[in-house]
Amino acid sequence: MDFLVLFLFYLASVVIGLVLICVCSKTHSLKGLARGGAQIFCCVIPECLQRAMHRLLHYLFHTRNHTFIVLHLVLQGMVYTEYTWEVFGYCQELEFSLYYLLLPYLLLLVNLFSFTLTCVTNPGIITKANELLFLHVYEFDEVMFPKNVRCSTCDLRKPARSKHCSVCNWCVHRFDHHCVWVNNCIGAWNIRYFLIYLLTLTASAATVAIVSTTFLIHLVVMSDLYQETYVDDLGHLHVMDTVFLIQYLFLTFPRIVFMLGFVVVLSFLLGGYLCFALYLAATNQTTNEWYKGDWAWCQRCPLVARPPSAEPQVHRNIHSHGLRSNLQEIFLPAFPCHGRKKQE
């Protein structure tokens, strides 16, 4: 049973790593690396397996499906089951503060609530009924979002800061990105729930990691393990070092140590992405706009080859009006209620 749990944690870590690599590969600097890696795999993997892998990746990342929602809930359930089954019980025996031990559950409740809202909330789908409303929400900058442009798929006039999602097949107001973990676009009407979801998910992973680390350290201090000695394979006597201590704890509490490693890595990954999302919120940018702005900067770079006659257009963020206004725009989006009534 222990080996099955460890294998599932390992498999989940690989899947999360692959998803993050796929997300990162959207940047221009990593696209070439991703293509190079794909060419190498094409040389060693049979064509039938390549086609099967292509169909699988297309299903996972280019169609709406609940695969990552189920994986998300399974991972969260595994972590909290292990935390409840072993860490919580051991910490109670060691008389840890009950409020300290219950904090991860409080974060879990808020996280699941915001996760559900992010999944089911309309992100700001643009239709014929509400198209005119959204055209007047944001100003066109004539660089990244020119005026009088129609969506080639929906045949709707594209409001500023909108984008057609190729996965969901609709245009979204203030489009940020499509998130496979919630099986929904992140737009003007659910970005606030997504930020709360991301914040509580990071905090819950970090809290579980802190409690588990505190338990193991407390256990080592109480049992004086750091003062013990051990004999190696050659019969030499050694004082307990950090590597041997970790090995000992892993053999004694394998699931706790593996879970701890998993949530620590997850905390750093989520923490980095959370900082990026908060930066975008504070500067009133979307992921889509940051990505386009990054490409516009590359076009102005003297090392990038372009036609001599081509004049690079300078993009300027015209939507940022200070930290307070930027955050208010996210948590109090423009015309959400009126837009929903029009859509219905």
Side-chain angles (χ1 to χ4, degrees):
M1 184 63 184
D2 287 348
F3 288 106
L4 177 61
V5 173
L6 296 180
F7 174 74
L8 290 176
F9 271 124
Y10 173 74
L11 181 62
S13 304
V14 172
V15 171
I16 291 175
L18 288 175
V19 171
L20 291 171
I21 290 172
C22 290
V23 172
C24 293
S25 65
K26 290 183 178 180
T27 59
H28 297 280
S29 59
L30 292 179
K31 271 188 174 180
L33 181 60
R35 282 195 295 265
Q39 291 174 358
I40 294 175
F41 280 114
C42 287
C43 299
V44 296
I45 298 179
E47 187 176 351
C48 59
L49 292 180
Q50 292 180 34
R51 288 196 299 267
M53 183 63 67
H54 177 74
R55 286 194 295 268
L56 177 62
L57 292 177
H58 179 80
Y59 171 76
L60 290 177
F61 299 105
H62 298 285
T63 60
R64 296 200 73 187
N65 62 84
H66 296 86
T67 304
F68 285 98
I69 290 181
V70 174
L71 177 61
H72 175 280
L73 295 176
V74 168
L75 285 175
Q76 213 163 28
M78 290 173 63
V79 169
Y80 273 87
T81 299
E82 179 59 27
Y83 174 80
T84 305
W85 187 259
E86 293 201 56
V87 177
F88 188 87
Y90 287 135
C91 289
Q92 274 192 312
E93 293 179 7
L94 295 174
E95 298 182 350
F96 278 51
S97 171
L98 188 60
Y99 298 104
Y100 181 61
L101 297 177
L102 292 178
L103 180 58
Y105 297 105
L106 175 62
L107 292 170
L108 175 65
L109 292 177
V110 180
N111 177 256
L112 290 177
F113 181 68
S114 58
F115 173 73
T116 304
L117 289 177
T118 307
C119 293
V120 303
T121 301
N122 181 347
I125 302 172
I126 302 172
T127 64
K128 286 287 187 183
N130 58 26
E131 175 187 3
L132 292 177
L133 288 173
F134 289 129
L135 284 171
H136 298 91
V137 175
Y138 291 113
E139 181 183 352
F140 293 90
D141 60 5
E142 299 299 339
V143 178
M144 189 178 293
F145 300 104
K147 210 170 186 178
N148 299 323
V149 174
R150 303 189 75 88
C151 176
S152 58
T153 306
C154 299
D155 196 30
L156 298 172
R157 286 199 294 172
K158 297 185 67 173
R161 313 190 76 182
S162 67
K163 186 181 184 296
H164 184 88
C165 177
S166 60
V167 179
C168 299
N169 197 29
W170 53 45
C171 285
V172 178
H173 172 53
R174 199 185 185 278
F175 178 85
D176 191 273
H177 69 286
H178 179 88
C179 181
V180 296
W181 293 103
V182 300
N183 193 31
N184 199 4
C185 293
I186 306 301
W189 294 351
N190 64 351
I191 181 66
R192 48 185 169 172
Y193 305 131
F194 178 75
L195 288 177
I196 297 173
Y197 156 71
L198 187 60
L199 177 63
T200 53
L201 185 62
T202 306
S204 60
T207 305
V208 170
I210 291 172
V211 174
S212 302
T213 303
T214 305
F215 159 68
L216 292 176
I217 293 176
H218 193 75
L219 189 67
V220 169
V221 172
M222 283 186 59
S223 58
D224 294 330
L225 280 175
Y226 62 95
Q227 296 179 350
E228 298 291 335
T229 58
Y230 68 95
V231 180
D232 61 14
D233 297 336
L234 300 177
H236 299 149
L237 189 66
H238 296 277
V239 178
M240 184 75 69
D241 55 12
T242 305
V243 175
F244 190 86
L245 186 60
I246 293 175
Q247 291 176 351
Y248 175 81
L249 290 174
F250 184 78
L251 292 174
T252 309
F253 306 102
R255 291 182 300 187
I256 294 179
V257 174
F258 199 89
M259 181 199 70
L260 176 59
F262 176 75
V263 293
V264 165
V265 173
L266 194 62
S267 299
F268 280 104
L269 293 176
L270 290 173
Y273 183 59
L274 175 63
C275 292
F276 173 69
L278 292 177
Y279 162 75
L280 293 180
T283 56
N284 203 335
Q285 296 183 80
T286 65
T287 304
N288 178 52
E289 292 166 358
W290 175 84
Y291 170 72
K292 288 183 175 180
D294 181 61
W295 176 240
W297 181 88
C298 290
Q299 290 292 333
R300 297 196 302 272
C301 179
L303 299 179
V304 176
R306 58 176 180 269
S309 59
E311 289 294 332
Q313 294 178 299
V314 179
H315 167 68
R316 183 172 57 90
N317 184 6
I318 63 174
H319 304 294
S320 181
H321 304 290
L323 178 61
R324 182 178 178 180
S325 298
N326 294 341
L327 295 180
Q328 183 178 357
E329 184 178 311
I330 288 178
F331 290 96
L332 296 173
F335 307 117
C337 297
H338 190 36
R340 285 193 183 97
K341 290 179 183 179
K342 285 284 185 181
Q343 187 176 343
E344 294 172 355

